[in-house]
Amino acid sequence: MTIDPPNPIRRITTSPLFWPLLGLVLLLIFNAIFTPSFFNLEIRDGHLYGSMVDVLNRGSIGIIIAIGMTLVIATGGVDLSVGSIMAISGAVAALMLTESNVSLWGVIPCALLAATIAGLLNGLLVAVVGIQPVVATLILMVCGRGIARFLTGEKVIALVDDHFSAAFDYLGNGHFLGMPFPVTIFVLLVLATLVVVRKTVLGLFIESVGSNEVASRAVGIQARTIKIGVYAFCGFCAGIAGLIDASNINAADTVNAGVFTELDAIFAVVVGGTALTGGRFTLVGSVVGALLLQTLLTTLYTFGFASDTAPVPKAIVIVGVCLLQSDAFRQKFRRRSAA
Amino acid sequence: MNRISERHVMLAVTAVVLMVLFFGASMRFDGFSSPFVIADLFNETAFLGITAVGMTLVIISGGIDLSVGSVIGFTTIFVATMISDNGMNPVLVWAAALALGTGFGCMMGALIQVFKLPAFLVTLGGLFFARGMAFSIKKESVQIDHPLYDAVGDIALPIGGGASLSFPAILFLILIAIVVVIAHRTRFGRNLYAIGGSEDSSLLMGLPVTSTKIGVYTFNGFCSALAGIAMTIYMDSGNPINAVALELDAIAVVVIGGTLLSGGTGLVAGTLLGILIYATIYQITYFANLPASLATISIGTLLLIFILAQQSLRRLR
């Protein structure tokens, strides 16, 4: 067997970041040609406005959930309950803001704690009880929205008039350094997660558990604890997303909050180059994947696509990308091109 | 503990849960055990039952199908629009809807089996695709006003005491009878259990794994479309947002009915009991004037308890 000489082009195309970035660049070029106004930026009251800023702002919820989902998928699992956890976190925050005198500094930790506990339960079911991840998180997906609806008394809790909280509103609608505040939140979260998983041995442990759990346990990695941890972290991320979502509309709408976010997050992770089978993961890839999804949606909307029908192209892209990644498909394709 | 007795243990547990719920509610609420309520248990959940029957076979084969709710929603708006706006004959529209649902299921099954993609991912894609297509047909509810629908709506099977089963409920009971025979008396059914038990062994034994697995998703697509048609008969309308998240209820009902989510074990008859438990819980919240979200929470909790019980049964073995 000969070793290929280091080929710079080959090294770039085999990087996991290559394909999602290429997709994103192609979409941006498409926009540059057909809707040049896409790149317009203007500064009003010291705040940046424009389609690109919109993409970052609207994409922030997807990015935040994709970060948690990346780690879960890296361990070979999946979390279908993120949408329901978003609804729970929004409901807890809205309830505490309307029914109690607790300040925002007490409300946010409580909402995030509720979300983390929900994620922890997922982790316990997967790692300790040994239920398949799809099934374990399905339970909370069913129950979680029911719990959120029960908490809010099956109503939409609006944070207006007396209950309006300027500080809570800032989470989703405020601006920091000219950019929408959710952008600051996701940038900080991405950086913090990157440092924790890449500068410590944790990331390696997660990849090891995802590639071979038995072998990881044999070399002394606490596979169970790692798994519980990533589900709890995924719940925590969903909790942050739930707070931003509730703050965006200044209400806790438990029926619509976070509906379908699980597919968006799985989409971002898979398109970003992390395989659903677990093992190697790339956080930056997932961020690019989420941005690609949001750019795709924004582009579709500018061309008059209704938001109701947007799931159709989304579904086609995600199944298409998975097909391209699947060995069975590649083999068939290779055989044909060889013949 | 062998396989046969295990699945009968789960069935017995389900039956006990149903009896406790039903007789408990009968003692607590006046008129709960009336024929009207019993007929309602079937009439109100017939479409869920129809799709749960198909889901049972998918889960026995070791797979999962998350797209059923969206396929039902798509079918209702498709049928309603074709009949009301395009003036087509309902029988033709039904046939077209069944063909679309069956073809869609077949396509997902092929993606799952031929390209070895995870079932939850492909069917989650199917969920989005079908829901988006439903909205692309029409964004709001469409009424169905057709003599055939009136005639079908008048069909009723008296069960005594003045109460009667509606046409969708009759359809559900007929379907379950057919599928019991398919699952336990045909080669296809036996292959399903074998594949759910161990796909690799089935392959080595020379069983037609590919065609059976594609077949089961195809059949589930048919069941979802049939459930959508039953829903239009039940509501006399179609709406693209119908049956959102119904797949979760369908899976819950199947598991509560004693089918193992890891595949290979389960009884179609158990799904009938699962449906009755589901319907009884909703009737109880209605009788006790409790919020509907409590019913969702109870079903989720029951799902959790059953999965935990299955898990410990497997450890015992």
Side-chain angles (χ1 to χ4, degrees), chain A residues 57 167-174 180-182 185 243-248:
Chain A
N57 189 13
F168 187 69
D169 180 60
Y170 186 80
L171 273 184
N173 302 323
F181 192 60
I185 300 180
L243 287 177
I244 297 178
D245 188 57
S247 158
N248 258 329

Side-chain angles (χ1 to χ4, degrees), chain A residues 147-212:
Chain A
I147 294 171
R149 286 179 60 204
F150 183 70
L151 282 176
T152 57
E154 310 208 345
K155 288 191 298 275
V156 174
I157 299 187
L159 297 168
V160 287
D161 304 330
D162 292 350
H163 299 307
F164 181 79
S165 153
F168 187 69
D169 180 60
Y170 186 80
L171 273 184
N173 302 323
H175 282 79
F176 182 73
L177 296 178
M179 292 296 269
F181 192 60
V183 177
T184 316
I185 300 180
F186 90 66
V187 169
L188 286 180
L189 190 68
V190 170
L191 289 179
T193 316
L194 267 178
V195 168
V196 171
V197 298
R198 290 305 180 201
K199 293 293 164 200
T200 72
V201 75
L202 196 63
L204 221 57
F205 281 2
I206 292 174
E207 289 182 341
S208 146
V209 171
S211 340
N212 192 333

Side-chain angles (χ1 to χ4, degrees), chain B residues 39-61:
Chain B
D40 260 3
L41 292 184
F42 289 95
N43 293 343
E44 302 275 326
T45 49
F47 52 85
L48 177 62
I50 292 172
T51 190
V53 170
M55 186 71 86
T56 312
L57 294 189
V58 172
I59 292 180
I60 287 175
S61 83

